[in-house]
Amino acid sequence: MAMVDYSDSDSDSAVGAQNNAGLKRKRIGEISERPHLSDLPPLPAGFHDLYASASRASSDDDPSLHEGRQRLRPHVIGNWPTHVYLEWYPSYTESNQLSDLISSIKATSQSVQEIHSLLDSDLGTHLPLHISLSQPVVLVTQQRDTFAELFEQFIKQSGVQPFEVSFGSLDWVPNHEKSRWFLVLRLEKPTDDGLNRLLRISNHTLGSFGQPPLYAERQQAIKPSFRDNGSMRGFHSNRNPRGESRLHKQPAHEVSKKHDHDFSSNFHISIGWSIERPSTEILEVSRNADLSDLLRLRVRFDAVKLKIGNTVTVVPCPKEVEIGKGLIGL
């Protein structure tokens, strides 16, 4: 059946339509012979950053469009949601392994509780997964550029080189407000303690702008700065009524203090979520799931991502450690 019905008074048009129909059938057949998506080369990593935000289906906060989720922080003009994280794009094989894991939990459990996958979009495209290095925080317009520049400088001088992580166990964790529960893969502590070191940098930088840390307790904000010759000097930051940072000198020895807190047991990658607290049965099934294939995986991270609003900044980890360039003992 034609998509659009045209008048058949013109015989030439009818013949043309038949030819076009045959051409369409041929093209459809050609599409079916294309190789499976898993055989295609992956898109460049930078491509995904251009489409890091989902399209908006409504200008209002409508939970029915988001499986019952509600916006916890209403949008305010001049406020910019900010997140620091590591990003992993699973291969098709890895994504299928994770999908099978979620399906097995659903099949094994007798619970009717719904578990939503974080692996695919509504259109069926594969999505990236994350290791959070910050809470979801909000910066004001005047802070965006300063924060991004400072964070990038800290990473460059941190000495945290690219590293690999492996998985340890499967568990459920709530968000801070306990409005959602996430099915997560907990991570093993990587060589050179890369996750803890990056977390300290993130918490330290956010604290300088009056933002709460992730996992750690809030502490007095201390922010290093750099002299014209590249050497470091310490600052701490206060905020004026407009939310702008005011920098004050802080002795360098306070900046270089070592932080010994180990938050390795907190790091995880979320692969699914539920509005409801998982039942005892689902918790047991999840914790006893077969992870033999996943435990062999190694995920490499060579950059940190900073998302402010819809803008994603990729900050590469330094490939070499410069002597004397370490930051705040990280």
Side-chain angles (χ1 to χ4, degrees), residues 50-237:
L50 301 175
Y51 304 94
S53 297
S55 60
R56 297 183 63 181
S58 171
S59 59
D60 298 323
D61 183 21
D62 186 354
S64 66
L65 299 174
H66 309 286
E67 292 87 22
R69 291 172 290 174
Q70 296 188 8
R71 183 190 295 272
L72 298 176
R73 297 178 181 86
H75 174 66
V76 177
I77 295 177
N79 284 1
W80 299 88
T82 300
H83 189 210
V84 182
Y85 57 96
L86 301 174
E87 187 169 75
W88 172 40
Y89 266 94
S91 67
Y92 283 94
T93 299
E94 294 165 343
S95 185
N96 288 336
Q97 290 175 340
L98 295 171
S99 181
D100 290 344
L101 176 61
I102 297 175
S103 297
S104 68
I105 294 174
K106 292 180 179 179
T108 305
S109 170
Q110 301 298 318
S111 174
V112 296
Q113 180 175 342
E114 190 167 7
I115 302 175
H116 302 275
S117 173
L118 290 172
L119 304 175
D120 302 294
S121 70
D122 294 337
L123 299 178
T125 57
H126 289 307
L127 296 175
L129 303 176
H130 306 98
I131 302 174
S132 288
L133 296 175
S134 77
Q135 295 189 35
V137 299
V138 175
L139 298 177
V140 297
T141 300
Q142 299 94 323
Q143 296 175 326
R144 289 185 304 164
D145 292 341
T146 304
F147 179 87
E149 292 171 4
L150 189 65
F151 181 76
E152 186 170 358
Q153 185 75 285
F154 286 2
I155 295 295
K156 287 181 178 178
Q157 299 211 5
S158 68
V160 181
Q161 297 178 282
F163 58 91
E164 292 183 343
V165 300
S166 58
F167 303 117
S169 61
L170 191 66
D171 204 353
W172 286 85
V173 298
N175 61 4
H176 184 71
E177 296 80 8
K178 291 185 171 54
S179 60
R180 278 201 291 169
W181 289 76
F182 292 89
L183 179 63
V184 305
L185 284 165
R186 294 197 180 275
L187 306 176
E188 297 292 329
K189 187 174 182 176
T191 305
D192 295 332
D193 204 19
L195 290 175
N196 272 310
R197 296 169 69 190
L198 291 177
L199 177 67
R200 291 168 194 147
I201 294 174
S202 177
N203 282 344
H204 188 85
T205 314
L206 286 167
S208 300
F209 289 78
Q211 299 297 333
L214 178 65
Y215 304 138
E217 296 181 0
R218 188 189 293 265
Q219 299 176 347
Q220 173 66 34
I222 300 174
K223 178 160 65 176
S225 183
F226 301 89
R227 297 188 179 92
D228 293 338
N229 63 5
S231 62
M232 290 173 43
R233 58 188 177 189
F235 287 92
H236 71 271
S237 170

